[in-house]
Amino acid sequence: MTAETVPKGGTPGSRIGPVPRLAIPARILAVGAYRPGRGIANAELSESLDTSDSWIVKRTGIRRRCAASPAETVVTMGAAAAGKALASAGKTIDAVDCVVAATMSYTGQSPSAAVQIARELGARRVGAFDVSAACAGFNYALDVARALIAAGSARHVLVVASERMSDLVDPGDRTTAVIFSDGAGAALVGAYGEPGIGPMSCGSDGSLAGVAGQDFPWAHFRDTPGCRRPYFRMRGPELFRWAISEMPAVALRAVDAAGLALEDLAAFIPHQANLRMIEAIAERIPLPGHVVVARDVEDQGNTSAASIPLAISRLKEEGAVPAGAFALLLGFGAGVAYGAQVVRLP
Ligand code: UT7
């Protein structure tokens, strides 16, 4: 890309750096999304739960979420999103050296979702493994892809974030059932002439494990007669307060690590947990007015690791951000675990 063609949000002369000597820079070449066919509007949920459209919209911004059919699995949804990313980049699976899947809801567990996604795409020899970092999974998987390319271990890495949160959430628990959703997003990451993925600013705090996560291990369910199955639970208000107080600094560190200023950003694409929370974090960073803030959550709900690549895909489909512009990605959730980085948009 010449200096003249660099759009706003990727000002001429600005670049993500520094790059260690010998390291090969990488960027996201293309993204793909898969949204299950069945959408569930708030009104439908209020038929079976003590909730309402007005409560959900006011507290979360969510109007609709997606429910996967039995045929729409973590593997099939992930492969569909990955296929779209490959097609958009004009590549085939043959160009891919490694598939990294980010998921917390792959109930098959072993072999990994990544191996199965690779098989679904027709690959037999690519590297494949899963990353588990809950709603920050895409950020971690993207950084692993960047590192694989920087190290010379791969030229192209498919990062696939796929979630069937409907398998983890208690349908009778209104504090989670109205929020979580199913879907998949993928990014094809490839070696590139200049760095397009900044260093990740990441962290975790296991002392907050009870704030979001599975309520007890599957082994306890197996070993305890009469025990119900475990579910993903959340102490929403605590997580909300933690995120809006801690995440702005994490985001700022990522911008700083990329050698950029907030003015250089064209988009803020955080984990799509709750629109109110997204807006509070954006305000506290504080982001300049020209930065487009992703709002995929309104129509898609919270798809955990898949939420960031799904949000990138929507912004691109809408033409809301130009290719080559800088976007700040910020993922956070169960663990608690979090990660942020600046990327050049495909
Ligand atoms: O993806 C991982 C990251 N996730 C997050 O970061 C989520 C962060 N937290 C949140 O998004 C919000 O805390 C929630 C959306 C989960 C909850 O919103 P809130 O504004 O924090 O509400 P609240 O939990 O403080 O509940 C307020 C009231 C309570 O009733 P009382 O005690 O005031 O009588 C709840 O029982 O709303 C009640 N409530 C509901 N009412 C209708 C809770 N859930 C619902 C519901 N419908 N679905």
Side-chain angles (χ1 to χ4, degrees):
M1 182 175 293
T2 63
E4 287 72 36
T5 61
V6 176
K8 175 134 183 69
T11 45
S14 59
R15 64 196 295 268
I16 292 171
V19 187
R21 257 154 52 94
L22 299 183
I24 301 164
R27 72 173 278 180
I28 299 177
L29 301 175
V31 289
Y34 182 85
R35 303 178 193 270
R38 184 162 131 67
I40 302 181
N42 293 344
E44 185 179 339
L45 284 180
S46 63
E47 287 166 17
S48 55
L49 286 171
D50 181 14
T51 190
S52 64
D53 176 54
S54 61
W55 190 96
I56 299 170
V57 171
K58 186 166 169 231
R59 303 287 182 134
T60 72
I62 298 170
R63 295 177 186 279
R64 177 188 178 275
R65 72 283 298 139
C66 292
S69 71
E72 292 172 316
T73 66
V74 163
V75 171
T76 63
M77 293 192 296
K84 288 183 190 170
L86 284 170
S88 167
K91 305 261 185 225
T92 68
I93 187 66
D94 296 335
V96 173
D97 302 300
C98 194
V99 176
V100 183
T103 182
M104 65 187 265
S105 55
Y106 180 53
T107 51
Q109 296 223 314
S110 173
S112 70
V115 168
Q116 295 303 312
I117 289 167
R119 188 185 75 156
E120 191 89 1
L121 290 166
R124 293 290 181 273
R125 290 187 177 81
V126 296
F129 62 96
D130 292 359
V131 163
S132 173
C135 304
F138 180 74
N139 305 78
Y140 280 84
L142 188 61
D143 199 53
V144 168
R146 180 188 65 81
L148 285 169
I149 291 167
S153 303
R155 291 286 295 172
H156 291 101
V157 179
L158 255 180
V159 176
V160 187
S162 184
E163 302 279 22
R164 259 181 73 110
M165 294 303 288
S166 55
D167 286 338
L168 306 190
V169 167
D170 177 355
D173 176 359
R174 68 178 180 170
T175 67
T176 51
V178 304
I179 293 164
F180 288 99
S181 174
D182 302 333
L188 179 67
V189 180
Y192 198 70
E194 61 170 336
I197 302 175
M200 179 169 64
S201 153
C202 68
S204 71
D205 183 353
S207 72
L208 297 177
V211 170
Q214 190 168 293
D215 49 8
F216 52 81
W218 280 99
H220 181 73
F221 164 67
R222 179 197 62 201
D223 297 338
T224 313
C227 181
R228 67 159 169 82
R229 56 153 285 181
Y231 286 113
F232 183 89
R233 305 281 184 197
M234 197 167 67
R235 300 206 297 266
E238 268 177 75
L239 194 51
F240 191 106
R241 283 193 294 275
W242 168 82
I244 64 169
S245 73
E246 302 293 326
M247 289 305 97
V250 173
L252 284 170
R253 277 207 304 275
V255 177
D256 193 48
L260 298 173
L262 291 174
E263 281 298 323
D264 294 319
L265 298 175
F268 175 47
I269 311 179
H271 170 46
Q272 301 290 294
N274 177 329
L275 191 58
R276 220 161 32 100
M277 191 159 62
I278 290 168
E279 286 170 348
I281 293 172
E283 195 178 313
R284 283 163 186 239
I285 285 177
L287 289 174
H290 74 267
V291 176
V292 172
V293 178
R295 307 165 64 97
D296 196 53
V297 68
E298 288 177 311
D299 195 47
Q300 174 68 49
N302 177 343
T303 52
S304 187
S307 82
I308 291 176
L310 279 170
I312 299 174
S313 296
R314 191 186 296 273
L315 289 181
K316 282 206 53 72
E317 282 157 23
E318 290 173 347
V321 277
F326 289 127
L328 168 62
L329 314 183
L330 169 66
F332 53 86
V336 291
Y338 49 89
Q341 63 266 89
V342 176
V343 300
R344 246 188 219 287
L345 290 168

